[in-house]
Amino acid sequence: MTFRNPFVVFAVSLLLAASLLNQIADAATANKAMVVTADDRATKAALEVLRAGGNAADAAIAAQWVLNVVEPGSSGIGGGGFFVYYDAAADQTVTLDGREKAPMSAAPGMFLREDGTPVPFYPDRITGGLPVGVPGALKLLEEVHRRFGSGKYSFAALFQPAIDLAENGFTVTPRLAGFLDDEKDRLGRFDGSRRLFLKADGTPYREGETLIMTGLGKTFRLIQKEGTGVFYGGQIGKAIVDTVQTAVFNRGSMTLEDLAAYEVVERAAVSADYRGFKIVSMGPPSSGATTLLEALKILELFDVRPREINAEDAALFSAVQRIAFEDRNKWLGDPDFTEIPAARLISEAHAWERVRAIRDGRFLKKLFEDVNDVLSALEEQAKMEKLTRPSGIAAEDSPNTSHISIVDEQGNAASFTTTIEAVFGSGMVVEGWGFVLNNELTDFDPIPADGEGRAVPNAPGPGKRPRSSMTPAIVFKDGKPLIIVGSPGGSAIIGTVFNMIVYLLDYQMPLDKAIAAPRFIHRGDALEYESSANLSPEFLSELSTYGEALRSRRLTGNVQAIYIDSTTRLIYGAGDPRGEGFAEGY
Ligand code: GLY
């Protein structure tokens, strides 16, 4: 048996005629600090905080509230998120779970119809009061401020940039205009949403128009004055419960007790070494860290050389994602309710066991020289396939969610992914308070048991947190942050971050090229490639020989990433050219 043999380049190595590659990513360089968010106004607000002596934690909080205003359909106070923070002084990475929780009235069959089949995902399952989870974002950021804030800013002060934008109005971007247009029917069903996001004639705000969010300004001002209790039990909390319980579609039964009981949890940071780098990301209830790291640990068994993106590598990158996704679907859920063998899943021993599930003998021959070893590996694979077939098809996903990457002058790093799930979440704005409630509970598996009646780990249940795919990550080199990265994109987030890490570490691409390069995602049922990448027929024909079903689709990533080059002392930041991300530093 030989390990890590160099690849024999037999695949036709093809330069991609990719239109994406020709796009210029928003790239920035700096020496001291960098902020990258999905919107220039959020980036600038965070940068202002840093310049005035705040740190990465403070800046991330300011950025989130501005994103709540300018990207109201993507994240905010009505949702939840995961915060991965490298505290430079303590030389420690902490992972905080601000995931939404199901109310105590939630039940395993809550998304099933009378005939036992799931309620169709769009628009019925995701809309209205039933899919709303108890929001975690506000308490999460209060905890971030309490534990990591610089002391320069009070928690209340960090709402101010967002209040100014909400009350004075802001210009609707093409991305927001597109989302508003896509979701106008859902928004139009609810008075609070219609009054905020649709004009008097019933049409949504268009690109370049000014949207004013007085209600959200009022929410932020009241929290400034009275603290977070007003949201988790007071006046705003009552309005949330009322919105959920009296929804004109899909009533839910969240109570004030559910809101009051919400708690942020510090989870054990999940990390693994990958080719000499250390990667830390968010563990359960996110499936991000374990799935990303399992895929990378399998890939680590192969010797990937920097070269042009080619069909052979794309097939291998996808195969390892497929295998990791099989384990994700089998094991991942809320760790407070189900045992998850996280350490095992990301171990080298597990990678050796699971690499056999690669379908193509050409890859296996690189690892198992002896033909008998290859045959027994393929036999093993056949057995494993039976045992571990994923239960579902590719999970329904959304281009929604938002990611914030920040590094400050002290070397603290924030990698924060934040969401209200679908574009405009549940479709419901809390009337008069200007924020959208999430539909995070649709991240639960709608079918709560397998064919033999055993509960699946991600079944809905009272007080449970639905499995996430958010993958806020920090890659370390010699103990210092090298890459800060994350993305939206539903369950495609994991593959999106995987592609970024492989392009940066294995292909050694510069950040702006890595972020623009075509992505290859596998979530268990097909190798998905970007329809906009204009892959050549020869490339696709070669790709089809590796045994994975192919699917062209518009991928939903919107990566915000930072790369810190300790040799040159330059910090690079780039927002995804597929979105409106913006990087700036100093
Ligand atoms: N709702 C997106 C995720 O948590 O993965």
Side-chain angles (χ1 to χ4, degrees), residues 82 99 286 328 401 419-422 440 443 466-470 489-491 493:
F82 295 110
R99 183 68 163 168
S286 181
R328 168 198 186 263
T401 304
T419 188
I420 53 171
E421 214 313 273
E440 215 66 55
D443 271 355
R467 178 182 64 206
S468 172
S469 301
M470 291 192 281
S491 56
I493 292 174

Side-chain angles (χ1 to χ4, degrees), residues 139 184 257 404 416 428 446 585:
K139 270 208 176 161
K184 58 181 180 301
E257 288 71 37
I404 295 168
F416 174 31
M428 296 194 307

Side-chain angles (χ1 to χ4, degrees), residues 418-467:
T418 173
T419 188
I420 53 171
E421 214 313 273
V423 176
F424 287 100
S426 64
M428 296 194 307
V429 166
V430 180
E431 180 138 31
W433 298 98
F435 61 90
V436 181
L437 289 172
N438 70 83
N439 65 303
E440 215 66 55
L441 303 189
T442 58
D443 271 355
F444 283 124
D445 290 355
I447 302 177
D450 68 9
E452 288 158 38
R454 293 171 304 196
V456 297
N458 189 36
K464 274 182 93 173
R465 296 172 193 235
R467 178 182 64 206

Side-chain angles (χ1 to χ4, degrees), residues 265-351:
V265 184
E266 177 176 350
R267 303 286 183 187
V270 174
S271 72
D273 290 333
Y274 177 67
R275 304 193 202 276
F277 301 91
K278 182 182 173 195
I279 303 175
V280 185
S281 187
M282 192 69 218
S286 181
S287 59
T290 53
T291 315
L292 169 73
L293 296 175
E294 180 179 348
L296 287 170
K297 291 306 281 185
I298 300 171
L299 186 65
E300 196 180 28
L301 304 178
F302 297 85
D303 188 8
V304 179
R305 296 286 169 90
R307 56 174 170 153
E308 297 295 346
I309 295 170
N310 60 90
E312 183 190 35
D313 286 2
L316 179 61
F317 299 161
S318 305
V320 300
Q321 290 177 54
R322 168 176 56 77
I323 297 167
F325 246 82
E326 288 173 4
D327 282 334
R328 168 198 186 263
N329 293 350
K330 190 176 172 195
W331 293 108
L332 268 292
D334 183 337
D336 297 336
F337 290 77
T338 183
E339 208 169 308
I340 301 165
R344 170 75 189 171
L345 291 173
I346 62 174
S347 66
E348 184 167 341
H350 188 70

Side-chain angles (χ1 to χ4, degrees), residues 397-401 487-494 496 523 553 556-558:
D397 72 348
S398 159
N400 200 27
T401 304
S487 176
S491 56
I493 292 174
I494 301 167
T496 302
R523 295 180 285 169
R553 72 191 290 270
T556 48
N558 189 16

